[in-house]
Amino acid sequence: MHTDQVRATLARQHIETPSWAYGNSGTRFKVFAQQGIPRDAYEKVSDAATVHRFTGVAPSVALHVPWDLVDDWGKLRAHAEDEGVSLGAVNPNTFQEDEYRLGSVCNPDPAIRRKALDHLLECVEITQQVGSKHLSLWFADGTNYPGQDSIRERQDRLSEALAATYAAMPEDMTMLVEYKFFEPAFYHTDLPDWGTSLLHCLHLGPQAKVLVDTGHHAPGTNIEMIVTTLLREGRLGGFHFNSRFYADDDLMVGSADPFGLFRIMFELVQSDAVTPDAGVAFMLDQCHNIEAKIPAQIRSVMNVQEATAKALLVDLDALREARASGDVLRANGLLMDAYATDVRPLLAQVREDLGIDPDPLAAYAASGYQQRIESERVGGAAAGWGA
Amino acid sequence: MHTDQVRATLARQHIETPSWAYGNSGTRFKVFAQQGIPRDAYEKVSDAATVHRFTGVAPSVALHVPWDLVDDWGKLRAHAEDEGVSLGAVNPNTFQEDEYRLGSVCNPDPAIRRKALDHLLECVEITQQVGSKHLSLWFADGTNYPGQDSIRERQDRLSEALAATYAAMPEDMTMLVEYKFFEPAFYHTDLPDWGTSLLHCLHLGPQAKVLVDTGHHAPGTNIEMIVTTLLREGRLGGFHFNSRFYADDDLMVGSADPFGLFRIMFELVQSDAVTPDAGVAFMLDQCHNIEAKIPAQIRSVMNVQEATAKALLVDLDALREARASGDVLRANGLLMDAYATDVRPLLAQVREDLGIDPDPLAAYAASGYQQRIESERVGGAAAGWGA
Amino acid sequence: MHTDQVRATLARQHIETPSWAYGNSGTRFKVFAQQGIPRDAYEKVSDAATVHRFTGVAPSVALHVPWDLVDDWGKLRAHAEDEGVSLGAVNPNTFQEDEYRLGSVCNPDPAIRRKALDHLLECVEITQQVGSKHLSLWFADGTNYPGQDSIRERQDRLSEALAATYAAMPEDMTMLVEYKFFEPAFYHTDLPDWGTSLLHCLHLGPQAKVLVDTGHHAPGTNIEMIVTTLLREGRLGGFHFNSRFYADDDLMVGSADPFGLFRIMFELVQSDAVTPDAGVAFMLDQCHNIEAKIPAQIRSVMNVQEATAKALLVDLDALREARASGDVLRANGLLMDAYATDVRPLLAQVREDLGIDPDPLAAYAASGYQQRIESERVGGAAAGWGA
Amino acid sequence: MHTDQVRATLARQHIETPSWAYGNSGTRFKVFAQQGIPRDAYEKVSDAATVHRFTGVAPSVALHVPWDLVDDWGKLRAHAEDEGVSLGAVNPNTFQEDEYRLGSVCNPDPAIRRKALDHLLECVEITQQVGSKHLSLWFADGTNYPGQDSIRERQDRLSEALAATYAAMPEDMTMLVEYKFFEPAFYHTDLPDWGTSLLHCLHLGPQAKVLVDTGHHAPGTNIEMIVTTLLREGRLGGFHFNSRFYADDDLMVGSADPFGLFRIMFELVQSDAVTPDAGVAFMLDQCHNIEAKIPAQIRSVMNVQEATAKALLVDLDALREARASGDVLRANGLLMDAYATDVRPLLAQVREDLGIDPDPLAAYAASGYQQRIESERVGGAAAGWGA
């Protein structure tokens, strides 16, 4: 691709940040408190808008219900618009009430399943009210001990809940069905892998697509293979980007596996699925347990951009030729050449094209925003998982 | 299940052994030669028949082409019948010629793809000639280096070959589509997981089903979850049983993970899929690199039987109740009670019901078969991977 | 071993339960509240004593500081004695204050290191006051991002803190140095494996030994190999038993990997290290996120007993012979024969020898203890991680 | 580090290539034959010298005995000198004879242990005759089945063999003790991890050091942590570089995990251990199953150089400051800045400093060497594992 096209493509990228990344988070061992943490959804949206202001490519923010519950969704939407962003994917929560101890939509108790389903249906409503097109489903459902529950009957229950939710969706809404290898369930997870998610999507219909969280796989899994298979099937709904060395570490995307991120992006490039018109949602889903939240989100957006830029620079014509001739070293070399390229100058140009500072982290640091929120956001309960 | 039913069920079990388990095998580091190894398909079939004679539940033997190539398939079939067994799944080989360096049906070179497809079609023929209903496909296809070939185009090529093969199959033949996490491809594998296999099967039609090799998964994968999902979808074609601690170690089934094997069997029990009429093929696929081949096959068959027996002993009524009431410890306890049971006496009875010695290993040792083959099978080339 | 000896050995087994297993626990996603949870260390000790009453082999309880902080350690000790148990290993906590965001004894800030060290020294004191011989150290220290801190300098800091703590210990105290593959640190952990723990122990002196938590290893790690190596070196301090399918799942020991637990026990048997006089501490370290706490501890103790019983039943003479003759199948078969044995009747006898009910779970259920604590323990803050 | 220093350091780097990389290799499924493969040790040395000619930093070649057995080691040494390289580490082979089915130095049979030890002692001799200082030990020893042999007694046997070999070494020889997670042993490996290797080295003496093969770890293992611990202990003997996605894939170093390679190099930089005077041997150990051998070795050497160059470019002063102030994002950012740098121009300069072509792969392709060996090396047996 010519550099001009690369720049134009990068300028059109859309990377959604999650409201929950701006709140406190941690591990089961400890949630470390930070300063300047938002106390409600409005302040989270403001932080997300700040990230957009400094990166130029993060124009929407994902919501988590009930963590982001507000009295008036229209008002939150207006606030977002004032801040220059839109509200994105709506993420229901069916794992943080004591009743969900044995699962939500897969729970053996029909009353609890009903409660969970009602929440899903409520979120279909909210998705419309906030002007979003994405209902993003992740279930913590599973079991901890062999024998604990019927794996098969739980699939039936899951099917039923998904079908009822799907039926309630308007035609322009997409259901994103996420999967996860393990945690918080430690024996079996009801949606453990892309295959199970896809199978449910195929039974549901064309508005159901698979959501790939880059931290939700078994060790060694080739994620770009999954991405390609889903693209080929027309069922890649989007990404929850983050990075991991071990399990679902939820580190900043690109920090643990920059080469892996690049390989995923390269599959998207080859299937022409980098820009928003391809219908693949790029979303971050991360925890900044020990680092500053807003700069970490900025850095993460930049990491996705850099991986994308490198992927766009691969010489596809030469690659096609090398592949056809079976020249393993040359084909691999062409990929690595793009990866070895320093794309930071190119991205500085993209930012100038977008009318923003070429160095987002420095600009943010100089902006005084962090100091302001640290001094202003005093009192109230800092947002976190659960609020 | 009442003990009588358990015994009857166990007596009807059918576990196919693979012809290649009787030949020499090893790792890339060394194939250790053993004594008494068969020199051709006839001798392999005789060994398989011996395993059946001493276990009573291994009445068929899987073939590998061209390792088991004979001039006259009808003659091999007659030999098998004389020995008291039938010929089972036919396994094509598209990985042991220099032309397959970059893959077989996914190779970038159309001529090589054609050659591979021709071999698959030949095997459809052979499957019919040997009186088998199972064409069992495993492809070594994949790449070793990022960029080496187009993952997506390789899927297209794979689709095409599978469709052409499927089209050539008679209506009573089942295509088993195996997948493997890695090896011999070390970057991406064209059929890496059950989801990819299932997706191809869904596109092909009802005669295509997924084959689960218990050693072909990422670390930590919950195999019984996959089994259940495939059963629920009506697409579990069968198993290649073996055991592993690390990768595709191909140890004796049940030797590394007896509890895991039991859990798989328990899912089959719950879906009533243990006996042959359920249409799920139980096949061994193992390497006896350092242990004696025939006793290792006997032991493996026994291990499958023991896991099945334990699974059949789970008190399903009590379990249903414990699950419905959300009693985690009791539900798990009911499963573990069955697992803790010593089923060796029960299986001794099953063997007596079948009219064979209750102690297959001792009976084999006392039979003189091993001494006979060691003294008779002198000269000629011992069978192995590749012959 | 003769059955009499096996029974005698099992009756002398000592399995310590952890005070924190009786409080609420969970994942980062949710801590589900249960009824009857202890509100302080006294009530935890009572629960532990109850487990001992019904199992007969759990006569001590491990403490966690400050979770179990009391005004008067002597009083807690007297309470324990009244209840029929003793206070066991003391576990300092250097991970639950905001200052420990970047580590405790490895923190780049010397003031925070000092604070952590002071806590360790305080715990040396407490260990003596509660009449225990075990200081049990686990550090959450590590980093989340490459480059974040100097791996090497953190080792120097760790060394220094361990040396200062070791110097403060009386001669009859043992320092147990635990390691963990990952979590809560997600890039590097300062004590990630047994090798690092052992190296520090070797530099410290003979009172420092390695603590093996069965959930703290990389996927596929052969734990019994580590156990044997440490035994051979005289540096196996003890175990934190639990069970896992994926990461540090902290499930009931023996529930995910009963065969693995048996293999560990068999190594201990071969090195004559099953009973307390061998100096290897058997401790549970588990989380009962969704199941009832006390019955889960009872079940866990029973699981350790069953694995031990099976290991004691291996015919070592026959095994020695099979190994010497290189008979792989027979040697493996001898091990599997012991594993296949149903040892529940044997353990019922052991319990009768100990003067307790042969069915601990049924006896506990019938005792009314659970109902009593659920009705009595109302008001106050339920104990959990952090209190 | 100033660019001048970086250039000077890179020019002094020493990366040893292995004789066996020039022969055919493969998986247990197939060894694909290539053209122009050496037929003996002399031709392998010529190929290694060619890699040195085009990279300037690969001045020695490791030997494998008996694969590289020659009648006259002095003559091979002279040939190497003529070609401009020296003979490097000597690697004994104790895994490719039928007698080693149950192990070599750990075998239960003392006669086989003696045979293996004699081979080790022979290799101590050969190491001296070829003018090398490194005896490089890797054992395939282990077991496939639980119970098969005594893990502990095998450690005793291993100890004994290592001690006898160590005792035979002259004072200026270093014993490198390699470890491997698994393969070809599939239950337990006698030297499975760095901790076991180190423990043996500590018992042997200062001339014994640990050899880190980058493909020999459990999934997720932080290799740079191991490297740092061994450096801190003064026991890092060297590396066998290669790359992997799954197991011991033996891909070209830096092809699967360029960021991981960079992180290892960065630890070496921080401990000042990049150049040969630090006493850490940099060796490649790879299999080029499907790609051309010599260009793959050249590429691998270049990959090590690029990772080293990036590591040398990290701003250590700024990093020290960021770390001291606990600025996680800045510390990580400084590392990533160096990693993002395109070091290919810098390495082109280094090559010009060394008087060689700045583009080694193009220069090799243009040299006609490949065509020459393909036409000349006809007849005879192509070298491979086993010859």
Side-chain angles (χ1 to χ4, degrees):
Chain A
M1 207 182 268
H2 285 292
T3 309
D4 285 1
Q5 284 174 279
V6 172
R7 274 165 68 172
T9 301
L10 291 168
R12 291 174 51 224
Q13 213 171 3
H14 179 156
I15 301 162
E16 183 165 301
T17 72
S19 71
W20 55 95
Y22 303 102
N24 283 321
S25 62
T27 67
R28 60 174 169 148
F29 293 98
K30 172 72 178 165
V31 175
F32 295 106
Q34 295 195 12
Q35 302 298 309
I37 296 302
R39 279 85 45 94
D40 59 24
Y42 293 92
E43 291 181 349
K44 290 182 197 172
V45 167
S46 296
D47 287 358
T50 303
V51 170
H52 179 49
R53 232 164 1 249
F54 289 98
T55 61
V57 294
S60 65
V61 52
L63 299 177
H64 190 111
V65 182
W67 298 347
D68 295 327
L69 205 60
V70 291
D71 290 333
D72 182 345
W73 291 108
K75 206 173 137 197
L76 186 67
R77 188 176 173 177
H79 170 70
E81 279 161 17
D82 286 352
E83 290 271 24
V85 293
S86 63
L87 301 177
V90 171
N91 294 258
N93 176 322
T94 56
F95 53 88
Q96 280 191 324
E97 300 187 51
D98 279 328
E99 283 163 301
Y100 294 140
R101 184 175 57 95
L102 302 180
S104 64
V105 293
C106 302
N107 198 298
D109 181 338
I112 296 173
R113 293 204 294 275
R114 181 70 241 178
K115 175 188 158 96
L117 175 58
D118 285 344
H119 178 59
L120 298 182
L121 296 174
E122 178 197 4
C123 284
V124 171
E125 262 310 303
I126 293 171
T127 305
Q128 294 171 82
Q129 288 180 34
V130 302
S132 170
K133 302 294 178 216
H134 287 114
L135 180 71
S136 183
L137 302 182
W138 172 69
F139 298 101
D141 286 61
T143 60
N144 275 6
Y145 291 102
Q148 178 188 324
D149 201 357
S150 164
I151 293 177
R152 182 162 182 163
E153 288 171 25
R154 291 178 74 98
Q155 285 296 307
D156 295 337
R157 299 170 197 153
L158 175 59
S159 251
E160 202 179 305
L162 290 175
T165 307
Y166 190 88
M169 294 192 334
E171 277 188 12
D172 62 348
M173 190 177 292
T174 298
M175 175 188 284
L176 302 173
V177 184
E178 193 169 352
Y179 57 90
K180 186 174 182 181
F181 187 47
F182 79 98
E183 195 213 19
F186 294 129
Y187 163 54
H188 106 279
T189 296
D190 291 302
L191 282 170
D193 54 19
W194 73 270
T196 312
S197 283
L198 176 62
L199 199 47
H200 282 284
C201 289
L202 292 175
H203 285 298
L204 288 169
Q207 289 169 249
K209 296 189 173 176
V210 180
L211 176 60
V212 175
D213 182 299
T214 49
H216 287 190
H217 302 87
T221 301
N222 182 323
I223 300 174
E224 58 268 34
M225 173 81 201
I226 295 171
V227 166
T228 302
T229 299
L230 291 171
L231 281 169
R232 191 171 168 271
E233 195 66 23
R235 295 282 184 162
L236 178 63
F239 290 95
H240 269 181
F241 282 121
N242 51 58
S243 199
R244 52 78 74 97
F245 286 99
Y246 305 95
D248 186 30
D249 307 343
D250 277 337
L251 302 176
M252 297 186 297
V253 56
S255 66
D257 58 350
F259 184 49
L261 181 63
F262 162 75
R263 298 195 312 264
I264 290 173
M265 289 301 166
F266 181 56
E267 292 302 320
L268 293 168
V269 164
Q270 286 176 100
S271 289
D272 200 17
V274 166
T275 48
D277 35 293
V280 178
F282 285 26
M283 302 175 285
L284 304 185
D285 181 8
Q286 307 183 150
C287 293
H288 307 301
N289 298 345
I290 60 167
E291 68 272 24
K293 318 278 181 194
I294 295 172
Q297 286 285 298
I298 293 173
R299 175 85 210 196
S300 300
V301 169
M302 294 169 69
N303 285 353
V304 175
Q305 289 181 293
E306 289 179 21
T308 311
K310 291 180 179 200
L312 289 165
L313 290 175
V314 177
D315 183 340
L316 290 177
D317 291 332
L319 186 63
R320 204 167 293 119
E321 207 177 287
R323 285 169 167 179
S325 68
D327 189 338
V328 174
L329 285 172
R330 178 155 166 70
N332 174 246
L334 285 160
L335 193 80
M336 299 312 286
D337 276 345
Y339 183 65
T341 306
D342 188 343
V343 293
R344 291 172 300 173
L346 174 66
L347 282 162
Q349 287 181 314
V350 170
R351 288 182 193 115
E352 283 171 5
D353 295 347
L354 289 167
I356 61 170
D357 194 292
D359 184 343
L361 283 166
Y364 174 74
S367 73
Y369 186 86
Q370 187 73 33
Q371 291 79 347
R372 186 158 65 73
I373 58 176
E374 291 190 12
S375 65
E376 286 179 7
R377 294 178 183 169
V378 174
W385 286 20
Chain B
M1 206 181 268
H2 287 291
T3 308
D4 285 1
Q5 282 174 281
V6 171
R7 273 165 69 172
T9 303
L10 290 168
R12 291 173 52 222
Q13 212 171 5
H14 179 157
I15 302 162
E16 183 165 303
T17 72
S19 70
W20 54 96
Y22 304 101
N24 283 322
S25 62
T27 67
R28 61 174 167 148
F29 294 98
K30 171 71 177 167
V31 175
F32 296 106
Q34 296 194 11
Q35 301 299 308
I37 296 302
R39 280 84 46 94
D40 59 25
Y42 292 91
E43 292 182 348
K44 290 182 197 172
V45 167
S46 296
D47 287 358
T50 302
V51 170
H52 179 49
R53 230 162 5 246
F54 289 99
T55 61
V57 293
S60 65
V61 52
L63 300 176
H64 190 111
V65 182
W67 297 347
D68 294 328
L69 206 59
V70 291
D71 289 334
D72 181 345
W73 291 107
K75 206 174 136 197
L76 185 66
R77 188 177 173 176
H79 170 71
E81 279 160 17
D82 287 350
E83 291 271 23
V85 293
S86 63
L87 301 177
V90 171
N91 294 259
N93 177 321
T94 57
F95 53 87
Q96 280 190 325
E97 300 187 52
D98 279 328
E99 282 163 302
Y100 294 140
R101 185 176 56 96
L102 303 179
S104 64
V105 293
C106 301
N107 198 298
D109 181 339
I112 296 173
R113 293 203 295 275
R114 182 71 240 178
K115 174 188 160 97
L117 175 57
D118 285 344
H119 178 59
L120 298 182
L121 296 174
E122 178 197 3
C123 284
V124 171
E125 262 310 302
I126 293 171
T127 305
Q128 294 171 82
Q129 288 179 33
V130 301
S132 170
K133 302 296 177 214
H134 287 114
L135 180 71
S136 183
L137 303 182
W138 171 69
F139 298 101
D141 286 61
T143 60
N144 276 4
Y145 292 102
Q148 178 188 324
D149 201 357
S150 164
I151 293 176
R152 182 162 183 162
E153 288 170 25
R154 291 178 74 98
Q155 285 295 308
D156 295 337
R157 298 170 198 153
L158 175 59
S159 251
E160 201 178 305
L162 289 175
T165 307
Y166 190 89
M169 293 192 335
E171 277 187 12
D172 62 348
M173 190 178 291
T174 298
M175 176 189 283
L176 302 173
V177 184
E178 192 169 353
Y179 57 91
K180 186 173 183 180
F181 187 47
F182 78 98
E183 196 213 19
F186 294 130
Y187 162 56
H188 106 278
T189 295
D190 291 302
L191 281 170
D193 53 20
W194 72 271
T196 312
S197 283
L198 176 62
L199 199 47
H200 282 284
C201 289
L202 292 175
H203 286 297
L204 288 169
Q207 289 170 250
K209 296 189 173 175
V210 179
L211 176 60
V212 175
D213 181 299
T214 49
H216 287 191
H217 302 87
T221 300
N222 182 322
I223 300 174
E224 57 268 34
M225 173 81 201
I226 295 171
V227 166
T228 303
T229 298
L230 291 172
L231 281 169
R232 191 172 168 271
E233 195 66 22
R235 294 284 184 161
L236 179 63
F239 291 96
H240 269 180
F241 283 120
N242 51 58
S243 198
R244 51 78 74 96
F245 286 98
Y246 304 95
D248 186 32
D249 307 342
D250 278 337
L251 302 175
M252 296 187 297
V253 57
S255 66
D257 59 350
F259 184 49
L261 181 62
F262 162 74
R263 297 195 314 264
I264 290 172
M265 287 303 165
F266 180 55
E267 291 302 319
L268 292 168
V269 165
Q270 287 176 101
S271 290
D272 199 17
V274 165
T275 48
D277 34 293
V280 178
F282 286 25
M283 302 175 285
L284 304 185
D285 181 9
Q286 308 183 149
C287 293
H288 307 300
N289 299 345
I290 60 166
E291 69 272 24
K293 319 279 180 194
I294 294 173
Q297 287 286 298
I298 292 174
R299 175 86 210 196
S300 300
V301 169
M302 294 170 69
N303 285 352
V304 174
Q305 289 181 294
E306 290 179 20
T308 310
K310 291 180 179 201
L312 289 166
L313 290 175
V314 177
D315 183 339
L316 290 178
D317 291 332
L319 187 62
R320 207 167 291 119
E321 206 178 286
R323 284 169 168 179
S325 68
D327 190 338
V328 174
L329 285 172
R330 177 154 166 71
N332 173 247
L334 285 162
L335 192 80
M336 299 312 285
D337 276 345
Y339 183 64
T341 306
D342 188 342
V343 295
R344 292 172 299 173
L346 174 67
L347 281 161
Q349 287 181 313
V350 170
R351 288 182 193 112
E352 283 171 6
D353 295 348
L354 289 167
I356 61 170
D357 193 292
D359 184 342
L361 284 167
Y364 173 74
S367 73
Y369 186 85
Q370 187 73 34
Q371 291 79 346
R372 187 159 62 76
I373 58 176
E374 290 190 14
S375 66
E376 286 179 8
R377 294 179 184 169
V378 175
W385 286 20
Chain C
M1 209 183 266
H2 286 292
T3 308
D4 285 0
Q5 284 174 281
V6 171
R7 273 164 71 172
T9 303
L10 290 168
R12 291 174 52 223
Q13 213 172 3
H14 179 157
I15 302 162
E16 184 165 300
T17 73
S19 70
W20 54 95
Y22 303 101
N24 283 321
S25 62
T27 67
R28 60 175 170 150
F29 293 99
K30 172 69 177 167
V31 175
F32 296 107
Q34 295 194 11
Q35 301 300 309
I37 296 302
R39 280 84 46 94
D40 58 25
Y42 293 91
E43 292 182 349
K44 290 182 197 173
V45 166
S46 296
D47 287 0
T50 303
V51 170
H52 179 49
R53 236 170 351 255
F54 289 99
T55 60
V57 294
S60 64
V61 52
L63 299 176
H64 190 111
V65 182
W67 298 348
D68 294 327
L69 205 60
V70 290
D71 289 335
D72 182 346
W73 291 107
K75 206 174 136 195
L76 186 67
R77 188 176 173 178
H79 170 70
E81 279 160 17
D82 286 351
E83 290 271 23
V85 293
S86 63
L87 301 177
V90 171
N91 293 257
N93 176 321
T94 56
F95 52 88
Q96 279 191 324
E97 300 187 50
D98 279 327
E99 282 164 301
Y100 294 140
R101 185 175 56 95
L102 302 180
S104 63
V105 293
C106 301
N107 199 297
D109 181 338
I112 297 173
R113 293 204 295 275
R114 182 69 241 179
K115 174 189 159 96
L117 175 57
D118 285 344
H119 178 60
L120 298 183
L121 296 174
E122 178 197 3
C123 285
V124 171
E125 262 310 303
I126 293 171
T127 304
Q128 295 168 266
Q129 287 179 34
V130 301
S132 169
K133 302 296 178 215
H134 287 114
L135 180 71
S136 183
L137 302 183
W138 172 69
F139 298 101
D141 286 61
T143 60
N144 275 6
Y145 292 102
Q148 177 188 323
D149 200 357
S150 164
I151 293 176
R152 183 163 182 162
E153 288 171 24
R154 291 178 74 97
Q155 285 296 307
D156 295 337
R157 298 170 198 154
L158 175 59
S159 251
E160 201 179 306
L162 290 174
T165 308
Y166 190 90
M169 293 192 336
E171 275 188 13
D172 62 348
M173 190 177 292
T174 299
M175 175 188 284
L176 301 173
V177 184
E178 194 170 352
Y179 57 91
K180 186 172 182 182
F181 187 46
F182 79 98
E183 194 212 19
F186 294 130
Y187 162 54
H188 106 279
T189 296
D190 291 301
L191 282 169
D193 54 19
W194 73 270
T196 313
S197 282
L198 176 62
L199 199 47
H200 282 284
C201 289
L202 292 175
H203 285 297
L204 288 168
Q207 288 170 250
K209 295 189 174 176
V210 179
L211 176 60
V212 175
D213 182 298
T214 49
H216 287 191
H217 302 87
T221 301
N222 183 322
I223 300 174
E224 58 268 35
M225 174 80 201
I226 295 171
V227 166
T228 303
T229 299
L230 290 172
L231 282 169
R232 191 172 170 270
E233 195 66 23
R235 294 284 184 161
L236 178 63
F239 290 95
H240 268 182
F241 283 120
N242 51 58
S243 198
R244 52 77 74 96
F245 286 98
Y246 304 96
D248 186 31
D249 307 343
D250 277 337
L251 302 176
M252 296 186 298
V253 55
S255 66
D257 58 350
F259 184 50
L261 181 62
F262 162 74
R263 298 196 312 265
I264 290 172
M265 288 304 164
F266 181 55
E267 291 303 319
L268 292 168
V269 165
Q270 287 176 100
S271 288
D272 199 16
V274 166
T275 47
D277 34 293
V280 177
F282 284 27
M283 302 176 285
L284 304 184
D285 180 8
Q286 307 182 149
C287 293
H288 307 301
N289 298 345
I290 60 167
E291 68 273 22
K293 318 279 180 194
I294 295 172
Q297 287 286 299
I298 292 173
R299 175 86 210 195
S300 300
V301 169
M302 293 169 69
N303 285 352
V304 174
Q305 288 181 294
E306 291 179 20
T308 311
K310 291 181 179 200
L312 289 165
L313 290 174
V314 176
D315 183 338
L316 290 178
D317 290 332
L319 186 62
R320 205 166 293 120
E321 205 178 289
R323 285 168 168 180
S325 68
D327 190 339
V328 175
L329 286 171
R330 178 154 167 70
N332 174 246
L334 285 161
L335 193 80
M336 299 312 286
D337 276 345
Y339 183 65
T341 306
D342 189 342
V343 294
R344 292 173 300 174
L346 174 66
L347 282 161
Q349 288 182 312
V350 170
R351 287 181 195 114
E352 284 171 5
D353 296 347
L354 289 167
I356 61 170
D357 195 291
D359 185 342
L361 282 167
Y364 174 74
S367 73
Y369 186 85
Q370 187 73 35
Q371 292 79 346
R372 187 158 65 73
I373 58 176
E374 291 190 13
S375 66
E376 285 179 8
R377 293 178 183 170
V378 175
W385 286 20
Chain D
M1 207 183 268
H2 287 292
T3 308
D4 284 2
Q5 283 174 281
V6 172
R7 274 165 69 173
T9 302
L10 290 168
R12 291 173 52 223
Q13 211 171 6
H14 179 157
I15 301 162
E16 183 164 301
T17 73
S19 70
W20 54 95
Y22 303 101
N24 283 321
S25 63
T27 68
R28 61 175 168 148
F29 293 98
K30 172 71 178 167
V31 174
F32 296 107
Q34 295 194 10
Q35 302 299 309
I37 296 301
R39 279 87 42 97
D40 60 24
Y42 293 90
E43 291 182 348
K44 291 182 197 172
V45 166
S46 296
D47 287 358
T50 302
V51 170
H52 179 49
R53 234 168 354 253
F54 288 100
T55 61
V57 294
S60 65
V61 52
L63 299 177
H64 190 112
V65 182
W67 297 347
D68 295 328
L69 206 60
V70 291
D71 290 334
D72 182 346
W73 291 108
K75 205 174 137 197
L76 185 66
R77 187 177 174 177
H79 170 70
E81 279 159 18
D82 286 351
E83 290 272 23
V85 293
S86 64
L87 301 177
V90 171
N91 294 258
N93 177 321
T94 56
F95 53 88
Q96 280 190 325
E97 301 187 49
D98 279 327
E99 283 164 300
Y100 294 141
R101 185 175 57 95
L102 303 179
S104 64
V105 292
C106 302
N107 198 297
D109 181 338
I112 297 173
R113 293 203 296 275
R114 182 71 240 178
K115 174 187 158 98
L117 175 57
D118 286 343
H119 178 60
L120 298 183
L121 296 174
E122 177 197 3
C123 283
V124 171
E125 261 310 302
I126 292 171
T127 304
Q128 294 172 82
Q129 288 180 34
V130 300
S132 170
K133 301 294 177 214
H134 288 113
L135 181 70
S136 183
L137 303 183
W138 171 70
F139 298 101
D141 286 61
T143 61
N144 275 5
Y145 292 102
Q148 178 189 324
D149 201 357
S150 163
I151 294 177
R152 182 162 183 163
E153 287 170 25
R154 291 177 74 98
Q155 286 295 308
D156 295 337
R157 298 170 198 153
L158 175 58
S159 250
E160 201 179 306
L162 290 175
T165 308
Y166 190 89
M169 294 192 333
E171 277 187 12
D172 62 349
M173 190 178 291
T174 298
M175 176 189 283
L176 301 174
V177 184
E178 193 169 353
Y179 57 92
K180 186 173 183 181
F181 187 47
F182 79 97
E183 195 213 19
F186 293 130
Y187 162 55
H188 107 278
T189 295
D190 291 302
L191 282 170
D193 54 19
W194 73 269
T196 312
S197 283
L198 176 62
L199 199 47
H200 282 284
C201 289
L202 292 175
H203 286 297
L204 288 169
Q207 288 169 250
K209 295 189 174 177
V210 180
L211 176 60
V212 175
D213 181 299
T214 51
H216 287 191
H217 302 87
T221 301
N222 182 322
I223 300 174
E224 58 268 34
M225 174 79 201
I226 295 171
V227 166
T228 303
T229 299
L230 291 172
L231 282 169
R232 191 170 169 271
E233 195 67 23
R235 294 284 185 161
L236 178 63
F239 291 96
H240 269 180
F241 283 120
N242 52 58
S243 199
R244 51 78 73 95
F245 286 98
Y246 305 96
D248 186 31
D249 307 342
D250 277 337
L251 302 175
M252 295 187 298
V253 57
S255 66
D257 59 350
F259 184 49
L261 181 62
F262 162 74
R263 297 196 313 265
I264 290 172
M265 288 303 166
F266 180 55
E267 292 301 320
L268 292 168
V269 164
Q270 287 176 101
S271 289
D272 200 16
V274 166
T275 48
D277 34 294
V280 178
F282 285 26
M283 303 175 285
L284 304 184
D285 180 8
Q286 308 183 149
C287 293
H288 307 301
N289 298 344
I290 60 166
E291 69 271 22
K293 318 280 180 193
I294 295 172
Q297 286 286 299
I298 292 173
R299 176 85 209 197
S300 301
V301 169
M302 293 170 69
N303 285 352
V304 174
Q305 288 181 294
E306 290 179 21
T308 311
K310 291 180 179 201
L312 289 165
L313 290 175
V314 176
D315 183 339
L316 289 177
D317 291 331
L319 186 62
R320 207 167 291 119
E321 206 178 287
R323 285 169 167 178
S325 68
D327 190 338
V328 174
L329 286 171
R330 177 153 168 70
N332 174 246
L334 285 161
L335 192 80
M336 299 311 285
D337 276 345
Y339 184 64
T341 306
D342 188 343
V343 295
R344 292 173 300 175
L346 173 67
L347 282 162
Q349 288 181 313
V350 170
R351 289 183 193 112
E352 283 171 6
D353 295 349
L354 289 166
I356 61 170
D357 194 292
D359 184 342
L361 283 166
Y364 174 73
S367 73
Y369 186 86
Q370 187 73 34
Q371 291 79 346
R372 187 159 63 76
I373 59 177
E374 290 189 13
S375 65
E376 286 179 9
R377 293 178 184 170
V378 174
W385 286 19

